């Protein structure tokens, strides 16, 4: 998934949520929105596992790890924390920038070693 695809799905979801807000109706995602969210969160989980393996390999090799991750399961992915990083990617680069690349940047920033 590219940044452009992720942002398009997220923005569509938010637009649908905003459209329901003034009516006072409870918002229920459509099947398409649920499928998108499932793909997005599955990708994030996969990238998180790959990233953890990379950090663990750095530690095992005696290298300084690129970040200091919390224990598995100790941190929940929150879309509102991730979205600003997606939006920061210049529009000209969104179609060619992978969600994996931005996810790794996110992990680098969220879990800096202090």
């Amino acid at each position: 998934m590219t940044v452009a695809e992720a942002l398009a799905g997220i923005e569509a979801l938010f637009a649908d949520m905003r459209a329901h807000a003034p009516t006072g109706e409870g918002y229920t995602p459509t099947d398409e929105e649920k499928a998108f969210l499932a793909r997005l969160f599955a990708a994030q989980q996969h990238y998180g596992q790959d990233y953890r393996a990379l950090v663990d390999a750095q530690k095992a090799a005696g290298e300084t790890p690129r970040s200091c991750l919390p224990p598995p399961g100790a941190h929940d992915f929150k879309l509102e924390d991730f979205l600003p990083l997606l939006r920061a990617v210049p529009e000209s680069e969104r179609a060619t920038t992978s969600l994996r690349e931005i996810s790794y940047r996110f992990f680098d920033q969220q879990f800096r070693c202090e």
Side-chain angles (χ1 to χ4, degrees):
M1 183 180 298
T2 66
V3 169
E5 293 165 331
L7 275 173
I10 293 166
E11 297 298 353
L13 177 68
F14 285 172
D16 197 19
M17 290 171 69
R18 284 190 300 272
H20 284 83
T23 66
E25 296 175 31
Y27 171 72
T28 302
T30 65
D31 288 343
E32 186 177 311
E33 290 167 340
K34 288 178 186 176
F36 166 75
L37 286 171
R39 284 193 317 275
L40 180 65
F41 284 96
Q44 280 304 105
Q45 184 175 12
H46 179 75
Y47 302 151
Q49 291 168 345
D50 289 351
Y51 185 87
R52 183 173 295 281
L54 174 67
V55 169
D56 288 346
Q58 289 172 325
K59 288 179 185 176
E63 300 170 6
T64 301
R66 62 189 288 165
S67 68
C68 294
L69 296 171
H75 184 269
D76 291 327
F77 173 73
K78 295 179 184 163
L79 192 54
E80 59 270 11
D81 294 339
F82 187 61
L83 192 54
L85 198 57
L86 289 175
R87 288 182 174 149
V89 175
E91 284 193 41
S92 62
E93 297 175 19
R94 291 178 180 177
T96 58
T97 303
S98 73
L99 192 58
R100 176 186 299 271
E101 180 181 337
I102 300 304
S103 296
Y104 278 33
R105 286 184 203 170
F106 175 76
F107 301 140
D108 288 345
Q109 290 176 8
Q110 285 287 110
F111 306 111
R112 286 187 192 118
C113 298
E114 298 296 328

